[in-house]
Amino acid sequence: MAAFSAVKISPPQFTPVRSTSQRPASTPVQSIHSSSAAFSSGSFASSKSVLSRPLFAVSAVVSSDKTKSRSAPASHPAVTREEALELYEDMVLGRSFEDMCAQMYYRGKMFGFVHLYNGQEAVSTGFIKLLNQADKVISTYRDHVHALSKGVPAREVMAELFGKSTGCCRGQGGSMHMFSAAHNLLGGFAFIGEGIPVATGAAFSAKYNHEVLKQSKPEGLDVTCAFFGDGTCNNGQFFECLNMAQLWKLPIIFVVENNLWAIGMSHLRATSDPEIWKKGPAFGMPGVHVDGMDVLKVREVANEAIARARRGEGPTLVECETYRFRGHSLADPDELRKAEEKAHFAARDPIPALKKYIIEQGLASESELKSIDKKVDDLVEEAVEFADASPHPPRSQLLENVFADPKGFGIGPDGKYRCEDPLFTQGTAQV
Amino acid sequence: MEGLDEEMERDPTVCVMGEDVGHYGGSYKVTKGLATKYGDLRVLDTPIAENSFTGMGVGAAMTGLRPVVEGMNMGFLLLAYNQISNNCGMLHYTSGGQFKIPIVIRGPGGVGRQLGAEHSQRLESYFQSIPGIQMVACSTPYNAKGLMKAAIRSENPVVLFEHVLLYNLKERIPDEEYVLSLEEAEMVRPGEHVTILTYSRMRYHVMQAAKTLVNKGYDPEVIDIRSLKPFDLHTIGNSIKKTHRVLIVEECMRTGGIGASLRAAIIDNFWDYLDGPIMCLSSQDVPTPYAGTLEDWTVVQPAQIVAAVEQLCK
């Protein structure tokens, strides 16, 4: 990678790292980041040695079970057939939906900034499929697939993207602002980092419900998952919330989707210490690094983090090494990333990887998986048809929902505006 | 503070978040005693991270609580501007009405006694453009309690502007419970000759000037607008239809201030009732100096108000 002007800046040397928090790990494990270091220096040779090493979940709590962490991936199925098929279908839905978004964008059906999730499905599926309905998910602008994994119907997401009034946010939010009260998806945020405090607040509510309102649940505290990227991890809000979450032992999981790039800024060029998981222990919480291209490994780590949060043991920082196959958004020409890097991660595509695993473990047949593919394709087609057929929002919708209580516009108790300002009241909300 | 206590007692989802609100009792003692009564989670002492704990308040509001977020000094809320603008103001809209944000953001602001430029800020003019929030300014113990209760009960995000110099006021207030309306202005002194619109501390300067004016034979109508967003154009309009002359006295800066917006709204709606241009007295567009003499000259003083009324009524 080109250095700044004439000065050659060599990438940091990565030594084998310990993945742990307060107690030292019994098993030192190689950081998978060494593969990224190889790309930044332009050398491809060293990455081959990375590929030949078996990849396994690097988990602070799992690594204490030495046999588990040293064995080759799954000599026994880590999931049941039903679970595996659920994971497969969810990832295929995410991929299919995003591909359709690209098509629709170029056909002029959706506009603005659209950020696609292709390649990162294992993180969304791995975490969100373990959550209950009452658990909360907070995302960023790359939120379509988080919405789908959390259960928001594909047709509502597609209609929202088309800007129709049947969208999950009535067409008022758009690609970057997916919300669903029914599915506890609290956004969808355009500025990076601004969703993390909101997630911290949702986790605070969960703790408050338990301790102050005494509305406890047998399964434990409601968990909040905050998803964000590597770029966000240099933002003040991230650090402020790590502090507060650990201070009050909030039931939150900070999930870093480290796809190595913040638009055109390489993570290594932006970050003094690129190993994000290390920032957890600096605040007193476990920091875990996991292969974000393998849904089963993500799920393994997620399981433990969620259980910790439910028990009231506090937050976890999980760094998922992942990659986006497309550009930052549909407007990004994606010229900076090298072909070798893209090829390396394309080879680790989570969906074929899971498919291979399912077939090899005898959990399902190829034709069953193909029928899931077809089912998803039909669902996505139907979503597009629904969105196409849905109406655009009418003029009267413009001023609705600005305030929960319309008195914020200056409406009197009789329901009418207290003073008729013709320019203001043109086509305004019903009270 | 009484208002906060009563609301916290009445509704267990009301909680307080801010720096030094708990054990310290608040920098102006607004939350004194509440932590002992309600516990450390309901009256949360936060680390110094305004943007994040304001965002935390938003997240808590979205998930069923009714937080009252305190900026130790209103000026500190500039650090929370991201959360106030993007999240407080916008989320009800961008979520298509799915999430409401019943949060109250409050704190002492305004020009004090030689507190220096950064502790003497008036954020009402900076926040007024944000769609989706309501702004109120209290000025007496009576309306402070009533507005606090109303703000907490409101489903909308409300920014409640208190003033550093008004915390020591004493007033007899009713024992019975009362809640004021967030959108209504307060008629302080009815009159016939001129409408004087003001809010917060300037109300006291106006009333002081009013004494002088009455001695000189004028009859000013003084309205404390209280609701900075939305304006109570009903009460203001009725007054203008009677007096035909308007003077706005405000503490925020001239450029882009509350007075500027109020003038525009009055011109749009009540042009036919005006006998002359609307006068507006605002603070100077300077960072508030430390020196006492200079500080006095940045804000509007009663003598200037008297002179302005005399000019209007010529």
Side-chain angles (χ1 to χ4, degrees), chain A residues 168-170 172-173 179-181 189 191 194 197-198 201 205 208 237 240 398 400-401 404-405 407-408 418 421, chain B residues 12 42 51-52 56 59-60 63 65 82-83 86-87 91-96 98 132 134 156 183 230 232 234 269:
Chain A
C168 53
C169 300
R170 306 179 77 203
Q172 289 170 191
F179 288 82
S180 172
F189 292 92
F191 286 19
E194 70 179 357
V198 175
S205 274
Y208 191 98
Q237 287 169 107
E240 289 175 358
L398 180 62
E400 286 172 10
N401 305 137
D405 179 349
K407 292 209 287 289
R418 305 194 72 219
D421 176 347
Chain B
R42 272 192 90 182
N51 199 22
S52 293
M56 209 173 97
T63 46
L65 300 187
N82 180 4
Q83 293 293 338
N86 282 1
N87 288 349
L91 288 189
H92 188 253
Y93 192 77
T94 50
S95 68
Q98 292 184 79
Q134 277 189 249
N156 296 336
E183 301 85 24
D232 180 3
H234 182 80
N269 288 282

Side-chain angles (χ1 to χ4, degrees), chain A residues 201 204-215, chain B residues 4-17 38 41-44 56-69 100-104 149 151-155:
Chain A
F204 177 82
S205 274
K207 186 178 164 91
Y208 191 98
N209 280 343
H210 171 71
E211 288 188 17
V212 177
L213 301 178
K214 310 287 186 214
Q215 290 164 5
Chain B
L4 193 45
D5 191 3
E6 281 176 21
E7 289 304 299
M8 287 184 79
E9 188 145 0
R10 176 181 171 268
D11 182 348
T13 62
V14 178
C15 55
V16 180
M17 297 175 184
Y38 295 108
L41 204 62
R42 272 192 90 182
V43 185
L44 189 72
M56 209 173 97
V58 172
M62 285 167 81
T63 46
L65 300 187
R66 306 187 81 94
V68 178
V69 175
K100 57 183 171 82
I101 326 273
I103 192 175
V104 178
K149 288 166 76 82
I152 292 174
R153 293 190 196 188
S154 171
E155 301 296 325

Side-chain angles (χ1 to χ4, degrees), chain A residues 217-376:
Chain A
K217 298 184 181 176
E219 56 267 29
L221 297 171
D222 284 339
V223 171
T224 303
C225 268
F227 293 89
F228 47 92
D230 44 284
T232 308
C233 295
N234 292 324
N235 187 278
Q237 287 169 107
F238 169 62
F239 298 109
E240 289 175 358
C241 289
L242 285 183
N243 179 42
M244 292 197 290
Q246 177 61 22
L247 186 62
W248 299 314
K249 292 237 180 342
L250 300 181
I252 184 173
I253 306 169
F254 297 100
V255 184
V256 182
E257 295 171 319
N258 183 356
N259 58 20
L260 302 175
W261 290 87
I263 308 187
M265 189 64 165
S266 152
H267 176 58
L268 299 170
R269 288 184 72 216
T271 316
S272 52
D273 185 349
E275 294 182 274
I276 301 172
W277 62 270
K278 272 188 189 170
K279 298 177 187 187
F283 287 90
M285 73 177 79
V288 177
H289 177 274
V290 69
D291 174 6
M293 304 303 277
D294 184 322
V295 67
L296 296 178
K297 287 169 191 149
V298 172
R299 191 179 156 92
E300 196 176 12
V301 169
N303 212 4
E304 192 52 46
I306 291 171
R308 263 179 52 85
R310 280 211 206 290
R311 290 193 295 263
E313 286 169 21
T316 313
L317 175 65
V318 181
E319 178 185 356
C320 304
E321 179 185 303
T322 181
Y323 201 75
R324 50 167 166 83
F325 293 157
R326 290 182 177 266
H328 163 73
S329 71
L330 289 173
D332 174 17
D334 194 16
E335 286 157 352
L336 275 179
R337 304 191 300 175
K338 293 210 160 73
E340 306 92 67
E341 183 185 88
K342 295 185 196 180
H344 167 73
F345 282 97
R348 288 162 62 183
D349 189 332
I351 296 176
L354 183 65
K355 183 170 181 173
K356 181 159 175 272
Y357 176 87
I358 288 175
I359 292 174
E360 279 175 2
Q361 297 298 320
L363 295 171
S365 67
E366 175 111 27
S367 65
E368 281 179 293
L369 295 180
K370 278 218 158 36
S371 73
I372 291 179
D373 290 345
K374 168 105 187 27
K375 176 180 163 201
V376 165

Side-chain angles (χ1 to χ4, degrees), chain B residues 195-257:
Chain B
T195 299
I196 306 181
L197 302 172
T198 184
Y199 66 92
S200 193
R201 182 190 167 215
M202 286 297 119
R203 169 192 173 130
Y204 295 91
H205 283 204
V206 168
M207 289 312 289
Q208 210 180 320
K211 279 204 202 103
T212 315
L213 286 167
V214 166
N215 287 341
K216 293 191 176 192
Y218 294 96
D219 188 20
E221 176 152 293
V222 180
I223 295 177
D224 182 340
I225 61 174
R226 276 191 345 208
S227 176
L228 303 180
K229 184 178 161 98
F231 293 129
D232 180 3
L233 292 176
H234 182 80
T235 306
I236 293 171
N238 285 345
S239 176
I240 296 173
K241 288 175 190 172
K242 185 170 55 163
T243 68
H244 312 299
R245 292 179 198 90
V246 185
L247 169 66
I248 302 171
V249 180
E250 57 173 358
E251 195 174 324
C252 62
M253 264 133 351
R254 186 161 203 77
T255 308

Side-chain angles (χ1 to χ4, degrees), chain A residues 58-80:
Chain A
V58 175
S59 161
V61 284
V62 170
S63 63
S64 58
D65 176 359
K66 289 179 188 169
T67 40
K68 217 170 174 182
S69 57
R70 285 219 181 99
S71 65
S75 51
H76 55 274
V79 284
T80 65

